[in-house]
Amino acid sequence: MAATVGPGSPRARAVWARHTAPVEFSPGCVVCFPWSTFDRTSCDEVTEIDPGAGFGAGRHPTTRLVLAALAPDLSGRRVLDVGCGSGVLGIVAATRGATVTAIDIDGAAIAATTANAARNDVADRVRATTTPLAEVATGHDLVLANIHAHVLTAMAPDLRRVARPGASLSVSGVSPSQVSALVGALRWPGTPARADLDGWTALTWA
């Protein structure tokens, strides 16, 4: 019996494979742990994320929704990743050509983002900092924020301020019941595209 449940047993290997499997957020595009075992050559885009001190690695529905909304080519775009955590959103944007500023109030998140940017060969395009949103300069082409709705509501004036005219915004961390109130609070020009996954909603103004 012990042989069927031990660390090297088929059951244990199956559990390990399930919990470390890559997550596809768009056709051919996956995020995974650095230690995930699969054929990376079978994917068009692989982003390796070490979540560090409890940050996400791109597996949560809210993160996957924002990743799926990213344009495949962000060359020349200035992106702001608000509440960057492990850095997955900004790092995927950087691999697609963007120059990214990633901010978080937690210094451990900055360390994780910096390490993950280097791991994915985009350290030259990702600057991670604890600079408060209220002190971030304006002029960004795309703002990303995967944060709870009440925080997004409080941040709304600064989210508008840091964006250049005509900029794009993608937010998640929102329940379906919070959508109308958040749209009203953000007051972003135009009508957002909405995507839902596992009880969560993301809104994107392209």
Side-chain angles (χ1 to χ4, degrees):
M1 178 66 71
T4 65
V5 296
S9 70
R11 179 178 175 183
R13 289 195 296 271
V15 170
W16 173 259
R18 184 169 67 252
H19 287 290
T20 63
V23 174
E24 186 175 58
F25 58 87
S26 292
C29 302
V30 303
V31 291
C32 65
F33 299 114
W35 50 86
S36 296
T37 302
F38 67 101
D39 181 11
R40 284 161 168 73
T41 64
S42 67
C43 304
D44 298 322
E45 181 180 304
V46 177
T47 303
E48 294 186 346
I49 298 294
D50 183 340
F55 301 106
R59 310 176 78 82
H60 195 274
T62 60
T63 309
R64 289 157 58 192
L65 286 167
V66 178
L67 289 172
L70 289 176
D73 184 2
L74 292 170
S75 299
R77 306 287 297 277
R78 291 186 60 196
V79 172
L80 178 65
D81 180 4
V82 181
C84 59
S86 64
V88 58
L89 299 179
I91 288 167
V92 171
T95 64
R96 296 179 177 189
T99 299
V100 178
T101 298
I103 64 172
D104 202 294
I105 60 174
D106 190 337
I110 301 310
T113 295
T114 300
N116 284 321
R119 178 175 287 107
N120 289 278
D121 298 322
V122 291
D124 60 329
R125 294 200 293 278
V126 177
R127 183 176 70 90
T129 174
T130 55
T131 301
L133 177 61
E135 299 177 14
V136 173
T138 189
H140 294 88
D141 303 296
L142 170 61
V143 179
L144 308 173
N146 179 22
I147 308 173
H148 291 301
H150 71 279
V151 180
L152 291 169
T153 297
M155 288 180 167
D158 275 315
L159 292 175
R160 293 191 298 270
R161 180 188 58 78
V162 297
R164 67 161 178 78
S168 301
L169 171 70
S170 187
V171 298
S172 191
V174 183
S175 70
S177 65
Q178 296 170 319
V179 168
S180 294
L182 181 61
V183 170
L186 289 172
R187 293 193 286 117
W188 207 269
T191 301
R194 172 175 170 166
D196 295 272
L197 181 64
D198 295 343
W200 293 98
T201 298
L203 301 170
T204 299
W205 287 260

